[in-house]
Every structure is written in C-alpha cells, then in structure tokens.
Amino acid sequence: MKAPTCQLYLISPLDVGGDFPARLAKALGAGPVAAFQFRVKGLDQHEAVRLAEPLQAICAAHDVAFIVNDDVALAKRLDADGVHLGQGDGDPKEARRILGPDMQIGVTCHASRHLAMEAGEAGADYVAFGAFFPTTTKAVEHQADPEILTWWQGMFELPCVAIGGITVDNAPALIEAGADFLAVSAGVWAHPEGPGAAVRAFASLLGDQPAG
C-alpha cells in the first residue's frame, strides 16, 4: 500500500526571464518540492536552453526533479529528469525510445479515465488529471472531478498528479481524494506574500497528512 502522502510539483510561469531564477531559488528553499516543470511557449530551442539551464541548476542544488513540458528534443538536449506530454505532444512509447529508460514521462489525461489507462499501458511514469478549478494559466477545456483521483488510486499503482487552479485553500479536497502530487503554478508564483510564503503554506498543509 502506498503511504497517503502528497507532494508539491511546481509549474513555471510562461515568463522565466528577469528575476525568476531568484524567485525559484526562494521557492525551493522554503519547503519540500518534488519537481519543477519548465513550461515556456513559442521559443526556439536555443533560447529555451538558455533560459532553462540556470533553472535546472537551481533545481539540482535543491534535489528537485527538472521536468520539461511538451518537448522531447529539449528534454533530451538538457538531459532533464523528465518530460511532460500533453495529448498532442507525441506518444509516450516514442518518447521512451528517444529518452531511454531512466527519464520520467508524464502524460496529461484531462478528465479521461480512458486516456489515463492508455498512458499507463504506454509506459508513462505518472498521469495528470485536471483542470480541477478555474485557472488563469490556460483556458479550461476539461473540468475534472476529484473523484477521478480516488478511482485511479483504487485501481492503479502509477502516481497521479492533480493540476489546474490549485491553491492552498482548495488543495485539501484533492489531497483527500488521493492526489500523489499537486501541480501548482499561479497558486505559488502569484501568491500575494510571494512564492516562498506559498511553498511554506503548502508544506504545512502537506505535512499534516497521515503517514504509513
């Protein structure tokens, strides 16, 4: 049986330039974070690498997995810890062939049990469900119910990630439902007291879970 613990999975804002490396370091230093997803859009690979490398180094210093969103080639070039694939971003089997056996591969499954089972069969290391709440990060096309997390936990050993509009205030329902990870973006980066305060608040929330 898996211990009922849930961990924080940070997703970058789209703008990771400027003072963002310092904000990331502050966030990762404030409490436990399992993974950080590098999510930028519309950049050529050279520019993406330039922005990713300092963030990857900060993650390594804090023992946080560095996951690349949507781009298998970039994940390979950076020798990242993983890649996260949307439904239009390629096949997990093909990604595994390119990236090898050790890289984590996650797959967005929206609110679909069928897509999640397909991802598991294709060799994904985790599945992501959402959006659970309204989000400013992207348009919500698929509304998920926390019950899907409970169903998944009862059927499969593969970890599940909850994503979409998650904040400290609404996270308890997802933890209770069985999320292994909470994927949070604006809930940390747009927190009124700053990302460090947000991570500390999540740490307090996640630290209160039953163990074993």
Side-chain angles (χ1 to χ4, degrees):
M1 178 182 160
K2 284 188 283 190
T5 54
C6 183
Q7 299 178 77
L8 189 58
Y9 179 150
L10 293 185
I11 297 181
S12 77
L14 292 176
D15 181 3
V16 294
D19 68 345
F20 182 74
R23 296 178 71 217
L24 176 62
K26 191 166 284 190
L28 299 187
V33 176
F36 170 78
Q37 186 184 123
F38 179 72
R39 180 179 177 270
V40 297
K41 301 290 181 184
L43 300 180
D44 67 39
Q45 195 174 91
H46 179 76
E47 178 67 4
V49 167
R50 186 185 71 79
L51 289 167
E53 283 179 337
L55 307 181
Q56 189 175 11
I58 292 164
C59 288
H62 289 87
D63 198 23
V64 172
F66 186 84
I67 313 291
V68 171
N69 179 263
D70 290 358
D71 192 331
V72 171
L74 180 61
K76 185 174 177 67
R77 180 166 169 183
L78 289 167
D79 193 23
D81 297 301
V83 68
H84 184 90
L85 303 174
Q87 281 298 316
D89 299 319
D91 172 41
K93 286 182 180 171
E94 177 66 8
R96 176 69 67 210
R97 186 187 66 75
I98 295 167
L99 298 172
D102 298 328
M103 197 168 302
Q104 294 281 310
I105 296 175
V107 178
T108 294
C109 301
H110 305 303
S112 170
R113 299 177 182 205
H114 176 69
L115 291 177
M117 288 189 284
E118 279 192 339
E121 287 168 7
D125 293 293
Y126 70 83
V127 296
F129 295 111
F132 288 95
F133 305 106
T135 170
T136 55
T137 308
K138 54 160 72 172
V140 174
E141 295 171 30
H142 305 273
Q143 189 76 36
D145 187 282
E147 191 272 329
I148 199 169
L149 300 169
T150 308
W151 166 80
W152 181 263
Q153 288 290 17
M155 299 281 287
F156 303 99
E157 286 294 308
L158 213 59
C160 61
V161 176
I163 192 167
I166 298 171
T167 64
V168 171
D169 294 331
N170 63 30
L174 302 177
I175 299 168
E176 184 73 23
D180 293 296
F181 297 91
L182 300 177
V184 182
S185 185
V188 166
W189 309 119
H191 192 280
E193 294 170 39
V199 170
R200 280 191 294 276
F202 273 107
S204 174
L205 189 65
L206 299 171
D208 287 339
Q209 301 165 90

